[in-house]
Structure formats: structure tokens, C-alpha cells
Amino acid sequence: MDIAKKITLLFAILSAVIISLLSGFVWYFSNEFAFEDFYKRLEARVNIAAQIKLYEDDNNSVVAQMRNQYLERLPSEQEFILDASQTENKVDRELPKSFYDKINTGSMARYRVENHFYAGKFFRNGPKGYIVIVSANDPFGFRELRDLQKILIIGFFLSVFLSFVVGWRFSNYMLMPLRNVIKSVKKIKAENLHMRLDVKKGTDEMSQLAQTFNNMLNRLETAFETQNNFISNASHELRTPLTIISGEVELALKNGDAQKQHLALAKIKDEAERLEHILTSLLGLAQSGFNGKNQPWELVRMDELLWEIKASVNQVHPESKIEIDFSKLPDDDELLSLKINKNLIKLALTNIVSNACKYSNDKLVNIAIETSANSLSIAVTDQGIGIPQTDIQHIFEPFYRASNTNSFKGYGIGLPLSLNIIRLHRGSIAIKSQEGIGTEIKVLLPLTSIY
Ligand code: ADP
């Protein structure tokens, strides 16, 4: 059953329950109080009848006259004066025992059969006891109650029908935006990933849903593009050394000169090494995407790790000048120990620091370490060539190199690898750069590890 039908049904059932409760309430109280007035009139007649019939008094004839003159006769009104000591009392119909029991307690008793009403009371006259009962019809009150019953039943069906119609229209109206979203999403395929949903102004759930879909499509589109770029870049990067190698081999085969053959072999060796480097980096990139559960995680003091990183970068770039700024370190040493995969984090940070040395032609590189309430940050700042604004958003894509790096050796795999490793540790990387001035790459790692 679709949602619109479910809402309509629920709406109708709820209204039916509420309306029947309300009708029951109205019916119960009308039934209780509709005849109260009529019973009062009957009870007055019981007292007057007892006065006239039971007590010999000077006023009796006056009371009887007043009663005949001013007290209207009720429809089918009858009076019964019964001897209380007699067990066989004769009234126009069998009255229940509870009615007589009430009379015997001395209070006024009431009884009703359809629209015929009875009121009765016990009176004592000297040694004898009497029961006075007056009965009559109340056609008006009874008719009113019947009318009310009809109105309530018709009202019930009418309101259930109305709530069904209103519920149906309402649910269709409310679900219209959702149907539009489904219709639009169905149209989006791999070939037209650029399509987006219409987002209506406002902050309701439907706008949020459309916005969330659009954000997801943005991410999907970027992932698709990155993947396409990755494949074309990777094949280009791998094909170039292979083309050079086969060219050199052909040249060496044609040429018998030993010196030229030697040169060709040296070139082939270079290109083979380049291929190996690219393939090793690619393997690292692929492996860093694993969830990390099978890799060793240990508590590492980050300040000590930074010294190790400085030493290993100095080995590769002997000219590099790296200073580590510990001025913002916390007093509590424990905040410096993080549970990490040491080899991977070392690889990620070494990539960032050696980039800073490489792209600044070995100008001073600063590494600042700082802790906050729930994370530890390592900021690597250089005074190098910077990254052009248009390139910044792409530098984490595999094989992407900024337009100002032609004179620097590199493959564009280091940063994506670092990002994967940091993400594996639930951390993030922020980047600030200005072309010609310098770059700051900040790595944030959470203090509490998930492993
Ligand atoms: P590469 O092997 O080209 O250095 P990376 O993946 O390490 O590859 O870096 C990707 C690109 O990011 C680089 O080609 C460069 O354009 C840019 N980049 C990274 N770090 C810096 C930096 N410190 N200064 C300037 N550009 C940088």
C-alpha cells in the first residue's frame, strides 16, 4: 500500500474514533439530563397527589382545585395510591424490584420504559403506609433525544467520509514534492550526472532531501570525474616510460655502436626505475584505501615521530632546512601520544614535509605541533612556489600536478596517498596557499583513536 493510501486510511480511522468518542459523550450526557426536568414535574405531582389523597386537611380541597386549575395534565398521566403493606401492588405494568426498594428507603424513586416515566414515594398516614406513584409520557424530550441520535449518526458518517476525502487530498498534496523528487531522480543516469533536482526555497524536509540528493550527486560526479582522470592519467604516466623504453631498445638494436647502446641501456634503466616508482606509489595508494584493521596500531609520541621525519627528509634532501616548533605543546605529555599506524602516518607526513622542501627549493620549512580539546594538529609551512588558486581543489587527485611544477620532478601520487592515510585515521587535511608566497598544509588527527 502506498504512503498516500496509508495516510488517508489512518486519517479516516483517527477521525472515526474521535468523532464516535465525542458522539458517545454527547449521547450519554443528553440521555442523563434530558429527562431531569420531566422527572421533577412528576415528583411534584407525587407530592401533591399524596397531599390530596392521603391527608384529611382543611386545605385539601383548595390544593385539589389549584392543581386542576393550574397544573397541566401530562400526556397519559396516571396516579396510583398503593397500600404499602399489600404485597400485590397494581400499577399499569410490572415495575422492577429496585424501584420499590428505593421507595422503601424513603427517597423518591424513578423509572422509565421508553418514553413512559414513573416517579414514586412512600408516605405514612397514621399507622398505615402508602406508596404514591405517578406516571406519564414525555413525547417532547423523547423526540428530542431521537432527533439527536439521528443527527449524531448522520454526522458520524458524514465526517468520516469528509475526513477520508480531505485526508486523500491532503496526503497527495503533501507527497507531491516527494513524487517529483522520485521522478527527477529516476531521470539521472551515469550519462547525465550533471543534472540536479529543483530545490525549493525554505528549510522543510523536502528541500533538505532535494539538497541532500544534490550534494550526493556532486560527490558522485566528482568521484566519477576523478576516476576517469585517474585512469587516463595513470595510463599516460605508465605509457610514457614504456614508449621511451621500446624506442631506446629499437635504437640500440639498430645501432651496433657499443657506447650508444650503453647510453640506451642507461636510459632504459632510468625509465624502468621510474615505472617501478610509479607502480610502488600506486600500490601504496591502493593499500592505504584498506580499512586498516589488519595493520599494526600503536601508541606513538608525535613529537618524537616529527624528529624521525625530519631526519629521513634530510637524508633525501640534504640541503633542506626544517625547524620544529614545539612552543604550543601541551604540558600534559599524554596528549602527545596517539594510537596510530606509525609507518603509514610517517609516510603521509614525510610526503608533505618533503613536498614543502622540494617546492620551496630548500628554503626554511616550519613544522608546528599543537593540541586542542579533541585533536592534534601538525602544520607544515613553507615559503615556496605556492599553488595556483585553480589547482588547489585538484591536488589531492591522483596524478594531478599544479601548472607551476614543470621544473620539479614528481608524479602527483604523494598527496592523494597522504590524504587516504589521514582519512584512515579519521583525520583531515586543510590547505592554505598563495602562489609565489608559500603553502601551509595542516593535518588534524583525533586524540581518541577508533582502533
Ligand atoms: P608530486 O609528486 O607532484 O609532488 P604530490 O601528490 O605530492 O605529487 O603533490 C601534488 C601536487 O600538489 C604537486 O604536483 C604540487 O603541484 C602541489 N603541491 C603539493 N605540496 C606543495 C607545496 N608544498 N608547495 C607547492 N605545491 C605543492
Side-chain angles (χ1 to χ4, degrees):
M1 197 192 283
D2 62 28
I3 295 184
K5 280 190 195 133
K6 273 188 198 160
I7 293 179
T8 312
L9 213 67
L10 204 75
F11 207 69
I13 292 173
L14 265 178
S15 325
V17 170
I18 293 172
I19 294 163
S20 44
L21 276 176
L22 200 74
S23 306
F25 190 75
V26 170
W27 174 252
Y28 175 77
F29 284 101
S30 309
N31 212 5
E32 280 286 295
F33 300 114
F35 305 117
E36 184 62 27
D37 191 48
F38 191 71
Y39 272 125
K40 288 261 155 63
R41 291 166 75 187
L42 274 187
E43 285 165 12
R45 280 163 176 76
V46 168
N47 288 325
I48 293 171
Q51 180 67 39
I52 297 170
K53 301 267 167 68
L54 298 180
Y55 306 109
E56 297 279 318
D57 184 311
D58 290 348
N59 293 332
N60 263 10
S61 56
V62 182
V63 174
Q65 204 182 345
M66 296 272 283
R67 185 213 185 286
N68 291 336
Q69 216 167 347
Y70 297 110
L71 217 57
E72 166 209 0
R73 282 260 152 211
L74 298 171
S76 316
E77 183 179 324
Q78 279 178 290
E79 283 174 12
F80 306 95
I81 313 285
L82 311 171
D83 188 340
S85 57
Q86 212 105 48
T87 40
E88 270 203 20
N89 285 310
K90 286 191 183 64
V91 187
D92 56 347
R93 70 156 48 82
E94 184 87 21
L95 296 177
K97 190 172 169 294
S98 58
F99 180 77
Y100 291 109
D101 287 348
K102 181 104 192 259
I103 287 176
N104 287 335
T105 63
S107 10
M108 187 71 80
R110 291 172 174 185
Y111 181 63
R112 170 165 90 92
V113 182
E114 299 231 315
N115 73 330
H116 199 63
F117 296 77
Y118 295 83
K121 200 177 172 191
F122 178 86
F123 292 91
R124 183 165 290 286
N125 189 2
K128 290 193 84 179
Y130 296 94
I131 292 172
V132 179
I133 296 175
V134 176
S135 74
N137 281 347
D138 177 16
F140 303 112
F142 197 70
R143 204 181 307 142
E144 270 170 24
L145 215 60
R146 272 273 137 81
D147 288 347
L148 179 70
Q149 194 180 27
K150 257 188 236 155
I151 291 169
L152 287 177
I153 291 174
I154 294 171
F156 172 79
F157 285 110
L158 215 72
S159 1
V160 170
F161 174 73
L162 221 74
S163 59
F164 196 83
V165 174
V166 172
W168 178 247
R169 299 209 70 130
F170 172 77
S171 55
N172 272 314
Y173 170 77
M174 290 309 284
L175 291 172
M176 185 71 85
L178 190 64
R179 292 209 175 102
N180 288 340
V181 167
I182 294 172
K183 214 154 81 188
S184 310
V185 171
K186 273 186 183 162
K187 282 189 205 146
I188 301 175
K189 309 243 157 52
E191 312 83 62
N192 54 10
L193 257 187
H194 59 274
M195 273 180 70
R196 292 292 176 271
L197 307 180
D198 274 347
V199 181
K200 299 270 169 331
K201 274 189 194 137
T203 51
D204 61 18
E205 284 80 356
M206 286 302 167
S207 314
Q208 284 178 26
L209 181 71
Q211 191 61 57
T212 313
F213 259 116
N214 282 349
N215 291 343
M216 189 190 74
L217 286 170
N218 285 342
R219 289 198 297 273
L220 272 181
E221 197 182 5
T222 320
F224 254 65
E225 265 174 27
T226 313
Q227 204 171 8
N228 283 342
N229 286 345
F230 176 80
I231 293 168
S232 61
N233 286 337
S235 32
H236 177 256
E237 288 296 320
L238 294 173
R239 193 184 296 133
T240 315
L242 281 176
T243 319
I244 297 174
I245 289 173
S246 58
E248 290 295 329
V249 170
E250 248 174 61
L251 216 68
L253 283 176
K254 272 192 207 149
N255 212 320
D257 184 351
Q259 203 192 342
K260 281 191 178 154
Q261 277 182 343
H262 187 83
L263 274 176
L265 281 175
K267 188 95 181 135
I268 288 170
K269 184 173 174 276
D270 274 358
E271 293 304 316
E273 274 171 4
R274 186 171 152 200
L275 258 182
E276 194 196 341
H277 189 98
I278 296 174
L279 285 174
T280 315
S281 313
L282 274 179
L283 203 64
L285 188 62
Q287 278 172 346
S288 69
F290 295 156
N291 63 15
K293 278 185 189 144
N294 300 328
Q295 294 151 7
W297 289 70
E298 54 193 306
L299 261 186
V300 177
R301 273 195 61 138
M302 295 305 284
D303 50 342
E304 286 169 9
L305 184 67
L306 288 185
W307 284 114
E308 284 181 34
I309 290 168
K310 178 178 154 72
S312 62
V313 175
N314 273 334
Q315 249 179 8
V316 186
H317 301 274
E319 304 290 303
S320 60
K321 292 177 216 54
I322 301 168
E323 65 170 17
I324 306 180
D325 176 3
F326 288 125
S327 62
K328 290 175 188 149
L329 274 191
D331 295 333
D332 183 1
D333 275 1
E334 275 197 6
L335 290 176
L336 285 172
S337 298
L338 296 192
K339 191 154 185 230
I340 55 170
N341 181 308
K342 187 177 172 190
N343 286 338
L344 285 183
I345 287 284
K346 190 172 169 185
L347 178 64
L349 292 174
T350 308
N351 271 341
I352 293 169
V353 177
S354 50
N355 271 351
C357 297
K358 178 168 73 174
Y359 294 113
S360 67
N361 291 314
D362 293 327
K363 283 198 195 121
L364 183 68
V365 169
N366 179 283
I367 307 177
I369 177 167
E370 200 179 334
T371 51
S372 70
N374 43 22
S375 65
L376 180 140
S377 77
I378 294 162
V380 180
T381 315
D382 64 57
Q383 299 152 30
I385 58 169
I387 305 166
Q389 278 307 307
T390 46
D391 290 324
I392 285 193
Q393 54 186 346
H394 299 292
I395 60 164
F396 289 104
E397 293 170 15
F399 295 113
Y400 193 91
R401 304 198 69 215
S403 50
N404 58 346
T405 54
N406 287 341
S407 55
F408 297 87
K409 251 180 120 180
Y411 305 106
I413 298 178
L415 273 191
L417 178 61
S418 301
L419 181 67
N420 272 2
I421 293 172
I422 302 299
R423 278 193 182 151
L424 193 70
H425 288 76
R426 298 281 185 270
S428 59
I429 299 186
I431 188 156
K432 258 194 270 175
S433 185
Q434 241 183 317
E435 204 178 349
I437 295 185
T439 304
E440 182 201 83
I441 296 189
K442 196 180 215 175
V443 173
L444 279 172
L445 287 169
L447 288 182
T448 46
S449 158
I450 43 156
Y451 295 107

